[in-house]
Amino acid sequence: MIEGANHTSSELLAIMSARILRDGQVVFAGVGVPLLAATLAQRLHAPGLTILFEGGVLGPFVVPGELPPSTNEQRCTRKANMILPITDVLLLLQRGYVDVGFMGGAQIDKYGNLNSSYIGDPSNPKIRLPGTGGGNDISSLTQMIVTMKHERRRFVEKVDFVTSPGFLDGGTSRAEAGLPAGGMFKVVTDLAILGFDPVTREMVVEALHPGVTLNEVRDNTSFDIKANGIETTESPTDRELSVLQEFDPDRIYTA
Amino acid sequence: MIEGANHTSSELLAIMSARILRDGQVVFAGVGVPLLAATLAQRLHAPGLTILFEGGVLGPFVVPGELPPSTNEQRCTRKANMILPITDVLLLLQRGYVDVGFMGGAQIDKYGNLNSSYIGDPSNPKIRLPGTGGGNDISSLTQMIVTMKHERRRFVEKVDFVTSPGFLDGGTSRAEAGLPAGGMFKVVTDLAILGFDPVTREMVVEALHPGVTLNEVRDNTSFDIKANGIETTESPTDRELSVLQEFDPDRIYTA
Amino acid sequence: MGHASTLPKTYQKLRDETAVRDRSLREKVMTLEEAASFVSDGEHVAIGGCTMSRTPIAMLWALIRSGRRKLTVSRSIVSTEGDLLYASGVSDHIITSWFSQGIVWGISQVMRHFTENHVAKFEEWSHMSMGLRYRAGAMGIPFMPTRSMLGSGVRDVVTESVKEMICPYTDDKLLLLPALNPDTALIHVQRADKYGNAQLDGLQFMDLDIAMAAKRVILTTERIISNDQIRRTPDQTKIPFLTVDAVVEAPFGAAPHECYGNYEPFFSHLGAYAEATRRDPVAGVEEYLNRYYREPKNWADYLSLLGVTELLDASRRGRSIVND
Amino acid sequence: MGHASTLPKTYQKLRDETAVRDRSLREKVMTLEEAASFVSDGEHVAIGGCTMSRTPIAMLWALIRSGRRKLTVSRSIVSTEGDLLYASGVSDHIITSWFSQGIVWGISQVMRHFTENHVAKFEEWSHMSMGLRYRAGAMGIPFMPTRSMLGSGVRDVVTESVKEMICPYTDDKLLLLPALNPDTALIHVQRADKYGNAQLDGLQFMDLDIAMAAKRVILTTERIISNDQIRRTPDQTKIPFLTVDAVVEAPFGAAPHECYGNYEPFFSHLGAYAEATRRDPVAGVEEYLNRYYREPKNWADYLSLLGVTELLDASRRGRSIVND
């Protein structure tokens, strides 16, 4: 972890994720770090990025210092191009208008399946988590970027419950389940950027953040993880950090 | 036919149809005589009648002298309670919010099936008619009032083509085809008011207009038609005629 | 007394239930208490809005005070109102896609307490699936085909309620989501007339479909406006009167949640609630119910407890969406 | 060259076709002629509006002038534009629920001529079925279940394009309508920005679903407005820019049909057309095409032929809906 004097690990996640987004894309963003990252990308290198929020918002510009508590309040609609019913904004995913979905996760496995429903046995869980929201829809219907802290308890061999499908059992199992489109694209953690093998669909390390070693990633991952021509990411810039801090002055999402 | 000095047969149709509508009903009305009749009812005895137009209009008050050319122009929306997409106003029928549909017809048979698509063989018709519009939907999904001129060529044993289903082959055949709701309620002509036998679903004469004999109805009907405790309707009143003439001063629909 | 079934009705039943409703243009303004009496124990009640937006808090407040039991409750996303429905005993079965106060406050300890101890059920569907189930209900069809939920655990836990099929046109695998036709829908809007024509500003959520799908609709509104005003802008009407059975004027009817363009969430109130239920879920929520739900004499009394300063602050922030 | 298939695509194909579209926020203002070049012979083109309302006449005018052939054309209800598409050879296959100029002018003799002589096809579906086919296309599903058309001749003549099923939830019989995903949608609106965000007033018809369903959308608009204006009232946006490929400013772009709040139909012009084609369908429509479609130098020239008096009269009547 490279939580330095000048940034928190949430800020690192937001910045590293933002860099993956490209101008002109249509991004379905969850609240928290995804919302911040998308907003950051919009202000820095992707002015034509179109953000969609689950509450029914298309193409907004969130106002600095007025972050919404979820993707379903009026703060999400600032300078939006369109407001539409929830079902219809989610149907944009099914119809194929969205390039990438972007959300956080509580638990992920080596095939990129996400769990945000139950820790432990689903019929008698240790912890009942809040559930899917649009997570299942987004991950079922488009390409996904997931951003989360890199911890052994979060990076598991097999999730306790598949809330949001990644590549299911790997290989072609996702398409066979009835999900021919989309799938996991990147996982951005506070240690590394991870991708997925195009054939086996297993998670692989693609880049390490400055100062992080591959062993550190492996120590914080409870399954075997391969590396794939590893690069090193650039440190967060002052510009990135200052824009983030402008948007979240109270550190609601970047504490 | 009782086309007298003071009214046309279209006016008679509109007035006799209007009287069947009850206050508080939700009526899906076609253009022409149905629109006029519904408007007349609204002004006379059914101020709480809710009119729906296919173009996507709920609860309008059409303005006298500004009759729309179809149910899909802005004139239909005067003082409406709601404007909604076409598909959604038609779905009100499927969901069951509509009490009665109300339209004209080119050809009807003894089970109340309507044809507005083809005269002659559908694959090589003598006349290609304009088609169903919402007629099929309305007659498939709710109770129907049909208003049309009483002529042998229009009242036929079997329609050349079932555009809008009545009771299909009679008996329970309509429900068996997948249409358990709705069905023909009344047919209003310039000679009589006709209903349908509750068991056989054959058309029966229920009332004759003043001066019309049962034989006259039978002469103008090309199938055997029974009579069911025949009543005589009241002549159009001056009030009814004057409201109609106020609405259609150019006699667009009441010529 | 059993729970409401949330699986599709036959078309005949759906039609029969709708046919007997009084759908005429008639006045239907009443009090919160009168409207609450429309709801019976064991029913399926759908809640409009989403998370902290346009939650029909005033109507839920009246339902909790009326002592209703064993409601099955469905909603797009459930926030603090879910805690209160569980803890008051009004509902022991919530069908939704996400249930917690809101991400910034952490996980709901009340939801955890009731579900992990098997006192109440949290039935989880994907967000779009919730929407499509209401939409199928609104359209008068028994199911909606979709591509979502396939392959997931979310699908597996509701396996008794879903069907799969191979598309006869394309050979694709499809999930058929069962229509949801709630017994009662509770919807809060910015303005409605006395007949129930409702005009919604901003975010619509799933409210239009819920209103069309339900067997009965109770509207609460910030303000009752004239039918003339409705008829001047009919393309702004989102819910037609003929689906509505009760209209209640309830200013700040979504407080402490937000009502688009009128007021934002009451953040410090919600923060205090989160803090209290984090310390002790059972005692925290019980104390909250007593103080805000059971003890106030009426809705104005409840609003007084929220505090004029908070009301003004939430309004100031709320109106900024149209007057910035 | 064959005709476009109007049956559902596999999900993979639908997604692949959408994925390659440029859906970014980019300027896409162009001329009628440039936009017309987007359409290829043999395609399936869907037309927005209904009967005489918001018909994208300017774009159809440009398509007829560009000499496109063998288009399959679909629309909710077809009026005079159908005559012109048949007679110009642009389309020999129209899919719709009703086809005639309008009830007050009697049956279209041009439609009769072309269909009764088997020169062109008029494929008839019920009105709601047209809407549900577009809606399924808009939702990314291969079919929509419905209760309509069952038992009728309308169903029988399209028997190769429909499927029936017994509902696995209710045992009801259902008709499965195939999704309609047009190659190109032509939609005329009151206002849109340069990116293609469109705000529609009044009657919406099936335009929202058509825009979402199509592989390409060409918008014509009475006026191009700023993106700032769009963003001030985002809940008035009905078609989002990301579905749109071309934006053309075309004042009176639906004339002689109507554009809600802007102008009503040009009744005397339409009456004259009906009279001419009643006298002689072939010569009447040919003469009309020459005079109004082939000979004008540009769109303004076409409007001049309609006549300033008629333009002013239609506008006066049109604006009365908001200024009475």
Side-chain angles (χ1 to χ4, degrees), chain A residues 36-52:
Chain A
L36 271 178
T39 299
L40 182 61
Q42 207 177 42
R43 301 306 156 111
L44 291 180
H45 64 276
L49 189 78
T50 299
I51 299 175
L52 304 183

Side-chain angles (χ1 to χ4, degrees), chain C residues 109-138:
Chain C
Q109 299 303 328
V110 178
M111 178 277 282
R112 285 195 58 192
H113 170 82
F114 281 89
T115 57
E116 291 169 16
N117 291 302
H118 304 280
V119 178
K121 191 171 167 192
F122 160 17
E123 181 181 329
E124 179 179 342
W125 295 71
S126 82
H127 204 187
M128 188 170 80
S129 299
M130 290 298 300
L132 293 175
R133 293 191 65 190
Y134 289 130
R135 185 158 292 179

Side-chain angles (χ1 to χ4, degrees), chain B residues 31-229:
Chain B
V31 78
V33 170
L35 184 155
L36 272 177
T39 299
L40 181 62
Q42 208 176 42
R43 299 308 156 111
L44 290 181
H45 64 276
L49 189 78
T50 299
I51 299 175
L52 304 183
F53 291 133
E54 205 166 325
V57 186
L58 191 154
F61 279 115
V62 168
V63 171
E66 289 193 12
L67 293 177
S70 82
T71 53
N72 312 307
E73 285 81 23
Q74 66 176 29
R75 290 182 174 190
C76 298
T77 68
R78 288 281 187 191
K79 294 187 195 289
N81 284 282
M82 184 179 191
I83 293 178
L84 64 173
I86 286 176
T87 309
D88 295 291
V89 79
L90 288 163
L91 282 169
L92 289 170
L93 291 158
Q94 183 164 281
R95 178 64 184 78
Y97 284 112
V98 181
D99 290 297
V100 59
F102 190 1
M103 59 189 185
Q107 196 184 53
I108 194 166
D109 68 20
K110 67 174 171 182
Y111 295 119
N113 302 301
L114 289 166
N115 176 16
S116 55
S117 299
Y118 304 93
I119 300 298
D121 172 9
S123 65
N124 195 20
K126 242 189 335 232
I127 305 176
R128 181 48 160 122
L129 297 170
T132 158
N136 176 280
D137 304 308
I138 300 169
S139 66
S140 294
L141 299 168
T142 193
Q143 218 185 196
M144 284 290 297
I145 300 172
V146 174
T147 171
M148 56 195 288
K149 304 232 162 135
H150 211 133
E151 300 170 3
R152 276 187 86 82
R153 65 185 182 102
R154 293 177 183 273
F155 281 71
V156 298
E157 175 79 22
K158 200 165 170 50
V159 287
D160 295 336
F161 184 84
V162 180
T163 307
S164 301
F167 291 110
L168 296 177
D169 301 317
T172 57
S173 60
R174 179 183 165 99
E176 282 153 19
L179 305 175
M184 279 293 145
F185 176 53
K186 300 288 175 199
V187 181
V188 178
T189 76
D190 45 348
L191 299 183
I193 294 176
L194 308 115
F196 292 84
D197 182 277
V199 177
T200 67
R201 300 307 197 175
E202 282 183 35
M203 200 186 289
V204 294
V205 183
E206 294 186 343
L208 298 170
H209 298 322
V212 178
T213 65
L214 184 57
N215 276 344
E216 210 173 332
V217 170
R218 288 187 167 141
D219 285 348
N220 286 283
T221 304
S222 62
F223 53 89
D224 260 3
I225 189 162
K226 293 202 180 70
N228 183 9

Side-chain angles (χ1 to χ4, degrees), chain A residues 64-103:
Chain A
E66 288 193 11
L67 293 177
S70 82
T71 54
N72 313 308
E73 285 81 23
Q74 65 176 31
R75 290 183 173 189
C76 297
T77 68
R78 287 278 188 194
K79 291 185 196 291
N81 284 282
M82 185 179 188
I83 293 179
L84 62 174
I86 286 175
T87 309
D88 296 289
V89 79
L90 288 163
L91 283 169
L92 289 170
L93 291 158
Q94 184 164 281
R95 179 62 184 80
Y97 285 112
V98 182
D99 291 297
V100 59
F102 190 3
M103 59 188 186

Side-chain angles (χ1 to χ4, degrees), chain B residues 31 54-57 69-70 72-75 77-78 83 85-88 90-91 94 117 123-134 136-137 140-141 161-163 165 168 176-179 252-253, chain D residues 50-53 76 97-99 103-104 107 111-112 115-116 118 122 124-128 131-132 135 146-154 157 173 202-203 205-206 258 260-261 264 267 317-318 320-321:
Chain B
V31 78
E54 205 166 325
V57 186
S70 82
N72 312 307
E73 285 81 23
Q74 66 176 29
R75 290 182 174 190
T77 68
R78 288 281 187 191
I83 293 178
I86 286 176
T87 309
D88 295 291
L90 288 163
L91 282 169
Q94 183 164 281
S117 299
S123 65
N124 195 20
K126 242 189 335 232
I127 305 176
R128 181 48 160 122
L129 297 170
T132 158
N136 176 280
D137 304 308
S140 294
L141 299 168
F161 184 84
V162 180
T163 307
L168 296 177
E176 282 153 19
L179 305 175
I252 295 173
Y253 294 120
Chain D
C50 182
T51 324
M52 302 213 156
S53 283
S76 133
S97 70
W98 198 90
F99 183 173
I103 195 168
V104 292
I107 191 167
M111 177 278 281
R112 284 195 59 192
T115 57
E116 291 170 15
H118 304 280
F122 160 19
E124 179 178 342
W125 295 70
S126 82
H127 205 187
M128 188 170 80
L132 293 174
R135 184 158 291 178
T146 182
R147 321 274 188 179
S148 212
M149 280 177 58
L150 287 164
S152 72
V154 182
V157 294
K173 191 188 280 193
L203 296 158
F205 306 119
M206 298 180 180
E258 84 164 26
Y260 192 100
E264 280 201 345
F267 288 118
R317 287 182 283 116
S320 75
I321 201 79

Side-chain angles (χ1 to χ4, degrees), chain A residues 31-32 54-57 66-79 83-88 90-91 93-94 116-118 122-138 140-141 161-165 168 176-180 252-253, chain C residues 50-53 76-77 97-100 102-105 107 111-112 115-116 118 122-129 131-132 135 145-154 157 173 202-206 208-209 258-265 267 317-321 324:
Chain A
V31 78
E54 203 166 326
V57 187
E66 288 193 11
L67 293 177
S70 82
T71 54
N72 313 308
E73 285 81 23
Q74 65 176 31
R75 290 183 173 189
C76 297
T77 68
R78 287 278 188 194
K79 291 185 196 291
I83 293 179
L84 62 174
I86 286 175
T87 309
D88 296 289
L90 288 163
L91 283 169
L93 291 158
Q94 184 164 281
S116 54
S117 299
Y118 304 94
S123 64
N124 194 20
K126 239 187 341 231
I127 305 177
R128 182 44 160 125
L129 297 171
T132 159
N136 175 280
D137 304 307
I138 301 169
S140 293
L141 298 168
F161 183 84
V162 180
T163 307
S164 301
L168 296 176
E176 283 154 18
L179 306 175
I252 294 172
Y253 294 121
Chain C
C50 181
T51 323
M52 300 209 158
S53 284
S76 135
I77 281 180
S97 70
W98 198 90
F99 182 174
S100 207
I103 195 169
V104 293
W105 293 281
I107 190 168
M111 178 277 282
R112 285 195 58 192
T115 57
E116 291 169 16
H118 304 280
F122 160 17
E123 181 181 329
E124 179 179 342
W125 295 71
S126 82
H127 204 187
M128 188 170 80
S129 299
L132 293 175
R135 185 158 292 179
T146 182
R147 322 275 189 178
S148 211
M149 281 178 58
L150 288 163
S152 72
V154 182
V157 293
K173 190 187 279 191
L203 296 158
Q204 311 286 313
F205 307 118
M206 299 180 181
L208 285 53
D209 288 324
E258 84 165 27
C259 182
Y260 192 99
N262 291 42
Y263 44 90
E264 281 200 343
F267 289 119
R317 289 182 282 116
R319 289 193 309 263
S320 76
I321 200 80
D324 58 355

